[in-house]
């Protein structure tokens, strides 16, 4: 075998069983230079330039040694000279550099070995250039020197040290290096021994161990801090109650809810529809000492005014037409639990008076009965209306308002806490299929931009809709409901929101069509039914 006859794609093969790339029977790991750059930087910062130089050289040396020995075993080379020349194939093969202008002398019988050459595009000089803009004061291609040294040591059977004389990282055109047996070098001997001697590794380990301890201390402190922050923004238990959030507004709300939970005061939850008022009410119930008793919810808007009274307070048999059986009513059924009165603003005026009495006296008198029953349930009310305004308008009793709003909570609409949108969307998606591949970046942007007038409930419906359309592929724009796709700044409504002149409007419209055709003006003109020059005119006006 001659060096020039080596083929990289034959040297690097795939393991038929695992598919892993391998060279000379050893599995290879492919790492990007940009990734390595991080590693170089970290190591430089942690253990300093001298120690990193030793480690990188040693890594290269071991690599070169193994690579050289493998090559020696792989083929029958015509002469040892061919094996030495083969380094010119190995160096680019592993992606480290391209070797040029090499010159060498090798006379084993006279103990002569000398090799010199140049590296073009050394990956280490590239890392240095990625790392900083100024020139280095010293050569930096440690792993390359190590590789060549290890390789020559393997093929000559002597300890060979490679030194970089000048480096690209110093501002030179290329890197120049020289290889000689170790005894021919003077001051570099110690360095060489550091590289190949095992005991230096012990020192290194000792040093690294102390560094590690220091880092672990630091990490521990950081983890404590993260834990503390986590508890503040996402308390354990809130997730299982469906309370998914990242916003400070929701964190504050949950905190208030937890403070209010153990007390028995009436709570009024206000917020637009779909914000999850019942979820908060349930959470308060779960956090209270009433959690082992029932949580009964009633939507005051969903029950006809004539029936709501008996639903809430119960009735005796025959109290009214159709009352064939007596009914205890929710306040009694709830026992020591919690009653959630949703849409309390919809309660008929006369029922409001009765509710007030129940809340004040903790007693209920079922319809048609003469005996009062003691109420021990707690009341949580909710509304999406402006109760203060309703009080002013005379539609809601002032005294009841003060009675129920002892502890008011307000849920911020979703559009004012956009950081919750994605975590919620992902949560809903994972509930449908926890191995779904998720949302494309475009879909995420659209979800985060949309105003969500229907709040969390609308988002939940939207995710379910998109989930069905996506058929377990990543959710794209086209999978989102039309209403969400239309509502963007580029929509017609957005386009005319500032009352533009017709000329301006045409320009905006033309721009949007061009956006739609991804910049293809011929296509855009065709869509608009105008010629391309006309389209140009529209765009320039
Ligand atoms: Zn260099």
């Amino acid at each position: 075998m001659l060096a020039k006859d080596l083929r990289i794609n034959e040297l690097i093969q795939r393991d038929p069983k695992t598919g892993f790339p391998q060279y000379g029977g050893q599995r290879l790991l492919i790492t990007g230079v940009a990734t390595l750059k991080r590693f170089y930087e970290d190591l430089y910062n942690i253990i300093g330039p001298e120690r990193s130089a030793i480690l990188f050289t040693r890594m290269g040396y071991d690599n070169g040694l193994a690579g050289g020995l493998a090559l020696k075993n792989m083929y029958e080379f015509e002469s040892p000279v061919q094996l030495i020349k083969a380094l010119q194939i190995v160096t680019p093969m592993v992606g480290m550099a391209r070797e040029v202008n090499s010159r060498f002398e090798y006379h084993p019988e006279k103990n002569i070995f000398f090799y010199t050459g140049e590296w073009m595009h050394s990956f280490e000089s590239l890392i240095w250039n990625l790392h900083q803009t100024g020139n280095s004061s010293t050569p930096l291609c440690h792993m390359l020197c190590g590789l060549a040294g290890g390789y020559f040591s393997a093929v000559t059977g002597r300890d060979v040290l490679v030194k970089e004389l000048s480096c690209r990282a110093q501002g030179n055109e290329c890197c120049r290096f020289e290889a000689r047996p170790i005894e021919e070098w003077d001051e570099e001997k110690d360095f060489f021994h550091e590289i190949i001697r095992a005991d230096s590794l012990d020192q290194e380990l000792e040093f690294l161990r102390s560094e590690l301890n220091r880092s672990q201390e630091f990490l521990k402190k950081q983890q404590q801090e993260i834990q503390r922050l986590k508890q503040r923004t996402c308390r354990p238990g809130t997730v299982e109650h469906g309370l998914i959030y990242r916003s400070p507004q929701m964190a504050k709300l949950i905190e208030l809810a937890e403070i209010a939970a153990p007390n028995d005061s009436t709570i009024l939850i206000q917020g637009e529809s779909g914000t999850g008022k019942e979820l908060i009410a349930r959470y308060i119930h779960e956090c209270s000492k009433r959690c082992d008793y029932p949580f009964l919810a009633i939507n005051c808007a969903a029950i006809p005014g004539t029936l709501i009274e008996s639903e809430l307070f119960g009735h005796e048999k025959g109290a009214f037409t159709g009352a064939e059986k007596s009914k205890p009513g929710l306040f009694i059924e709830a026992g020591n639990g919690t009653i959630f009165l949703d849409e309390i603003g919809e309660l008929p005026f006369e029922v409001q008076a009765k509710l007030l009495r129940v809340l004040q006296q903790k007693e209920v008198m079922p319809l048609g009965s003469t005996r009062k029953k003691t109420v021990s349930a707690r009341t949580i009310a909710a509304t999406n209306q402006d109760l203060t305004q309703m009080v002013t308008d005379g539609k809601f009793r002032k005294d009841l308002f003060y009675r129920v709003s002892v502890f008011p909570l307000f849920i911020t609409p979703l559009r004012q806490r956009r950081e919750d949108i994605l975590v919620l969307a992902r949560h809903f998606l994972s509930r449908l299929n926890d191995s779904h591949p998720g949302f494309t970046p475009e879909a995420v942007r659209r979800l985060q931009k949309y105003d969500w007038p229907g709040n969390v409930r609308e988002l939940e419906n939207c995710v379910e809709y998109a989930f069905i359309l996506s058929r377990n592929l990543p959710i794209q724009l086209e999978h989102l409901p039309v209403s969400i796709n239309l509502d963007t700044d580029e929509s017609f409504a957005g386009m005319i929101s500032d009352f533009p002149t017709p000329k301006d409007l045409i320009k905006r419209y033309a721009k949007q069509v061009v956006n739609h055709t991804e910049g293809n003006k011929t296509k855009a003109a065709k869509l608009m039914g105008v010629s391309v020059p006309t389209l140009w005119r529209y765009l320039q006006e």
Side-chain angles (χ1 to χ4, degrees), residues 359-371:
L359 293 179
Q360 277 173 338
Q361 295 164 4
K362 300 265 172 208
E363 279 175 345
V364 68
M365 178 126 65
L367 282 172
S369 168
T370 50
R371 268 185 44 228

Side-chain angles (χ1 to χ4, degrees), residues 122 125 140-141 164 167-168 175:
S122 137
S125 71
L140 285 171
C141 302
E164 192 176 18
C167 182
R168 172 128 172 72
C175 304

